């Protein structure tokens, strides 16, 4: 009974709110607004078609094609935007050009959606003494770099307004040093995905002047704090082993198979060109798969890198090069000074460590062992020589000195052994780059090459010289005054302390052997001081 009264009460109040039957829609709208319901959108005015259309002059074509309907199709909704009228506006003459196509705004929208072109980045080193390595020294020069490459070298260059400048007046400018065989400075292949760019070893490498490293079979940049531009080049050479009898036999057989295939392929191409259709194409199994690297050696597209030290190993490598005509780089070559003419004739290149010594065997009646003059002797016989320390990384113990941070010291030892200073500097820059096939990018200060520099307070081979700035790809990655490990060591700001005595590199003077009976390393008999 209660529900019946509620229904009756609702029927009585329904006309008051305009929701009862029989109420006009126009009258119910204001009352419906009381219930917070939005009013329906107003009907768009119908598009009217003029009764008649002026006839265009016969000399001008009509504006609309004959296939265009004069009235709006019934299937087209009435809410079509007025920006696309079916008839020409009254103010537009019929003899005028047709309306612009709807795609006229597409190029503008595409231009706005495309990313903006990155702004050119300029960097310049002003003043200083430039050591390009590939030529004579230059003084008072300015090196202008654009986007990580050297753009110009000269005096009074006009620099762009937004150029980052480094005043190197009173300093020496060298190309960045190249570490020929490293581990741990950058990650393994690929270095852009495996490198800790904030590692202490990278910071110490920049402090030692290193800008490029050879890790495994890849050349990489020491870009502290960023992986942008860290990869220089992949697949530099072909690593081989040539020590045991089995290794030598397998290598020679593989090279011979490749050479035979190339000869057969050349004969096949020649006879095919002459019209011989019966000749069979040679099997390419010798140059596919794992044997493809041997094809690159025979064609001299890449060099072979082999570690060898003894005289007998070096002679065997000379015979291999002379037979197959491949290009070879020898790591070590400690006894190369015993057969320098043979190595020079074979065109072998060497990566040596001047401080690496080995005692000779008195039972052998031949030249042997290590020699501090090894690099100088090889250089004088036409062998391209690069220098690298014996360590593959940077040492953090207190007895450092033979690690990669001391590449200039290793080259200075070669100078003490008789190697010219210019050749020693090239051995850690340009010659090292040539040996690894990256001299088109790094190794010297030339227009077009990468903007990799080190700015030092003296000549690079002097013992007391320190690197003050290191630049990689046109960006300063190391500043000595901003580095807590080195900022207090001979600071850049002049002090009242006297300049230390520079005694390095000392000239090499062979010491006279002690007279018989004197003994001792320094000519003592052992009785002094007793």
């Amino acid at each position: 009974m209660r529900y019946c009264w509620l229904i009756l009460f609702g029927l009585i109040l329904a006309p008051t709110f305009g929701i009862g039957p029989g109420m006009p829609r126009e009258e119910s709208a204001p009352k419906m607004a009381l219930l917070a319901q939005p009013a329906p959108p107003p009907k768009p005015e119908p598009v009217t078609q003029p009764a008649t259309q002026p006839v265009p002059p016969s000399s001008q074509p009509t504006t609309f094609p004959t296939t265009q309907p004069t009235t709006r199709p019934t299937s087209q909704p009435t809410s079509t935007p007025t920006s696309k009228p079916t008839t020409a506006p009254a103010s537009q003459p019929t003899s005028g050009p047709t309306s612009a196509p709807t795609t006229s705004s597409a190029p503008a929208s595409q231009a706005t959606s495309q990313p903006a072109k990155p702004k050119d980045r300029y960097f310049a080193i002003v003043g200083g003494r430039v050591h390009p390595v590939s030529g004579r020294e230059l003084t008072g020069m300015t090196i202008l770099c654009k986007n990580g490459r050297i753009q110009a070298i000269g005096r009074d260059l006009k620099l762009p307004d937004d150029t980052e400048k480094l005043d190197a007046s009173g300093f020496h400018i060298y190309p960045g040093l190249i570490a020929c065989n490293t581990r741990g400075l950058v990650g393994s292949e690929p270095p852009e995905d495996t490198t800790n760019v904030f590692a202490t070893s990278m910071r110490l490498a920049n402090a030692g002047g290193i800008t490029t490293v050879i890790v495994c079979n890849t050349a990489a940049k020491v870009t502290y704090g960023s992986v942008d531009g860290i990869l220089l080049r992949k697949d530099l050479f072909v690593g081989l082993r040539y020590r045991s009898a089995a290794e030598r036999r397998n290598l020679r057989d593989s090279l011979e198979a490749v050479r035979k295939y190339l000869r057969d392929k050349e004969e096949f191409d020649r006879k095919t060109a002459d019209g011989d259709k019966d000749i069979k194409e040679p099997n390419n199994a010798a140059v596919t798969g794992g044997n493809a690297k041997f094809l690159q050696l025979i064609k001299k597209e890449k060099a072979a890198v082999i570690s060898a030290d003894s005289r007998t190993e070096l002679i065997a490598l000379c015979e291999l090069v002379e037979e197959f005509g491949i290009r070879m780089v020898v790591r070590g070559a400690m006894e190369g000074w015993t057969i320098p003419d043979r190595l020079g004739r074979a065109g072998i290149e060497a990566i040596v460590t001047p401080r690496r010594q080995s005692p000779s065997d008195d039972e052998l009646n031949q030249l042997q062992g290590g020699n501090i003059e090894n690099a100088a002797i090889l250089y004088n016989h036409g062998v391209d020589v690069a220098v690298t320390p014996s360590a593959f990384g940077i040492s953090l113990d207190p007895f450092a000195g033979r690690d990669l941070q001391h590449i200039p010291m290793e080259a200075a030892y070669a100078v003490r052994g008789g190697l010219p200073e210019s050749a020693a500097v090239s051995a850690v820059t340009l010659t090292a780059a040539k040996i690894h096939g990256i001299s088109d990018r790094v190794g010297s200060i030339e227009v077009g090459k990468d903007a990799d520099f080190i700015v030092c307070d003296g000549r690079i081979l002097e013992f007391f010289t320190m690197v003050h700035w290191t630049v990689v790809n046109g960006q300063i990655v190391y500043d000595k005054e901003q580095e807590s490990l080195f900022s207090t060591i001979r600071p850049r700001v002049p002090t009242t302390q006297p300049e230390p005595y520079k005694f390095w590199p000392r000239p090499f003077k062979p010491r006279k052997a002690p007279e018989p009976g004197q003994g001792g390393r320094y000519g003592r008999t052992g009785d002094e001081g007793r």
Side-chain angles (χ1 to χ4, degrees):
M1 188 66 179
R2 182 171 51 185
Y3 294 106
C4 295
W5 282 106
L6 292 176
I7 295 173
L8 180 61
F9 186 76
L11 294 175
I12 296 173
L13 296 179
T16 305
F17 295 93
I19 58 176
M23 295 293 293
R25 186 174 184 85
E26 292 78 3
E27 297 179 5
S28 64
K31 297 180 180 181
M32 293 295 291
L34 297 176
L35 300 178
Q37 295 183 1
K43 288 185 178 181
E45 296 181 359
V47 180
T48 60
Q49 182 75 18
T52 60
Q53 183 174 357
V55 179
S58 57
S59 60
Q60 296 181 357
T62 180
T63 306
F64 301 97
T66 57
T67 59
Q68 182 175 357
T70 58
T71 60
R72 183 186 303 275
T74 57
S75 61
Q76 184 175 359
T78 59
S79 60
T80 304
T82 57
S83 59
K84 297 181 181 179
T86 56
T87 59
S91 60
Q92 180 178 357
T94 57
S95 60
T98 59
S99 60
T102 57
T103 59
S104 60
S105 61
S109 61
Q110 292 179 1
T112 56
S113 63
Q114 293 180 355
K117 182 180 179 181
K119 186 178 180 180
D120 293 331
R121 177 172 50 86
Y122 291 94
F123 175 80
I125 300 181
V126 182
R129 181 183 292 270
V130 181
H131 302 262
V133 180
S134 59
R136 60 184 182 87
E137 297 181 6
L138 307 173
T139 58
M141 291 291 179
T142 297
I143 305 175
L144 177 61
C145 310
K146 178 182 178 182
N147 299 331
R149 294 291 184 96
I150 302 176
Q151 187 181 34
I153 303 174
R155 293 186 177 90
D156 302 327
L157 293 179
K158 185 178 180 181
L159 305 180
D161 296 335
D162 56 348
T163 302
E164 179 184 1
K165 300 178 184 178
L166 174 61
D167 187 5
S169 300
F171 291 88
H172 295 255
I173 307 170
Y174 288 88
L177 305 183
I178 299 176
C180 295
N181 191 11
T182 67
R183 298 174 190 168
L185 291 188
V186 299
S188 58
E189 300 172 341
E192 61 270 24
D193 297 333
T194 59
T195 300
N196 179 9
V197 295
F198 296 100
T200 304
S201 58
M202 292 195 71
R203 173 60 80 201
L204 294 177
N206 289 146
I210 300 176
T211 59
T212 304
V213 296
I214 307 299
V215 52
C216 298
N217 198 12
T218 300
K221 298 290 191 72
V222 187
T223 55
Y224 181 83
S226 174
V227 295
D228 295 338
I230 189 173
L231 178 62
L232 179 58
R233 189 163 295 166
K234 293 182 178 181
D235 299 330
L236 302 178
F237 49 79
V238 177
L240 300 176
R241 295 179 60 87
Y242 200 69
R243 293 185 181 273
S244 65
E247 291 173 347
R248 296 185 181 187
R249 180 177 61 254
N250 293 336
L251 179 57
R252 297 179 73 90
D253 292 344
S254 299
L255 293 176
E256 182 61 36
V258 171
R259 188 164 62 178
K260 182 178 182 303
Y261 167 79
L262 292 178
R263 292 172 178 172
D264 295 343
K265 186 66 167 59
E266 182 180 359
E267 182 180 1
F268 171 78
D269 295 339
R270 179 176 54 82
K271 291 186 177 181
T272 302
D274 294 340
D276 189 354
K277 299 181 180 180
D278 297 332
I279 187 172
K280 185 178 180 181
E281 185 174 1
N283 187 6
N284 63 349
V287 295
T288 57
N291 296 330
K293 60 183 180 181
F294 302 116
L295 178 63
Q296 295 175 333
L297 293 179
I298 295 296
K299 290 185 175 181
K300 295 185 178 182
E301 296 175 353
K302 293 183 180 179
V305 175
I306 298 180
S307 297
D309 285 315
S310 67
R311 175 191 178 101
T312 55
E313 291 175 342
L314 295 175
I315 292 177
L317 293 179
C318 290
E319 294 174 349
L320 181 68
V321 171
E322 292 168 354
E323 179 178 357
F324 293 97
I326 63 177
R327 179 171 167 252
M328 181 170 293
V329 178
V330 177
R331 287 177 175 171
M334 185 172 55
E335 295 185 356
W337 64 276
T338 62
I339 52 171
D341 52 345
R342 186 75 180 271
L343 296 174
R345 288 195 302 269
I348 291 180
E349 300 158 290
I351 303 175
V352 302
T353 303
R355 283 189 287 176
R356 183 164 171 253
Q357 300 294 319
S358 176
S360 59
D361 189 355
D362 296 337
E363 295 182 358
L364 297 178
N365 187 20
Q366 64 180 15
L367 297 176
Q368 55 180 309
N371 190 345
I372 195 175
E373 301 179 62
N374 185 26
I377 295 175
L378 292 176
Y379 173 79
N380 293 330
H381 284 79
V383 178
D384 289 338
V385 177
V387 171
T388 187
S390 56
F392 301 125
I394 291 180
S395 175
L396 299 178
D397 60 42
F399 300 102
R402 294 179 179 267
D403 58 350
L404 292 178
Q405 197 177 8
H406 297 82
I407 290 180
M409 185 182 295
E410 201 71 41
Y413 265 92
V415 175
R416 189 181 180 188
L419 185 67
E421 181 179 354
S422 60
V425 174
S426 180
V428 294
T429 54
L430 184 57
T431 302
K434 289 180 178 179
I435 287 177
H436 293 95
I438 54 177
S439 60
D440 60 321
R441 295 280 303 275
V442 296
S444 61
I445 302 178
E446 300 179 69
V447 175
K449 289 193 175 183
D450 292 4
D452 297 348
F453 316 103
I454 55 175
V455 183
C456 313
D457 55 7
R459 293 188 175 273
I460 189 62
L461 299 186
E462 293 183 0
F463 179 74
F464 283 92
T465 295
M466 296 195 70
V467 177
H468 283 251
W469 291 280
T470 301
V471 180
V472 180
N473 295 331
Q475 294 181 334
I476 299 177
V477 297
Y478 170 78
D479 186 347
K480 176 178 173 294
E481 294 301 303
Q482 304 297 328
E483 180 55 51
S484 59
L485 294 175
F486 302 97
S487 59
T488 58
I489 304 176
R490 295 195 298 277
R492 193 176 303 157
V493 179
T495 63
T496 57
Q497 297 179 358
E499 184 178 1
Y501 173 71
K502 297 181 179 180
F503 56 88
W504 189 268
R506 297 184 299 241
F508 173 64
K509 296 180 180 180
R511 182 173 297 171
K512 183 179 180 181
E515 297 294 335
Q518 292 183 355
R521 182 176 180 182
Y522 300 101
R524 302 177 182 176
T525 60
D527 297 333
E528 294 84 350
R530 292 185 181 181

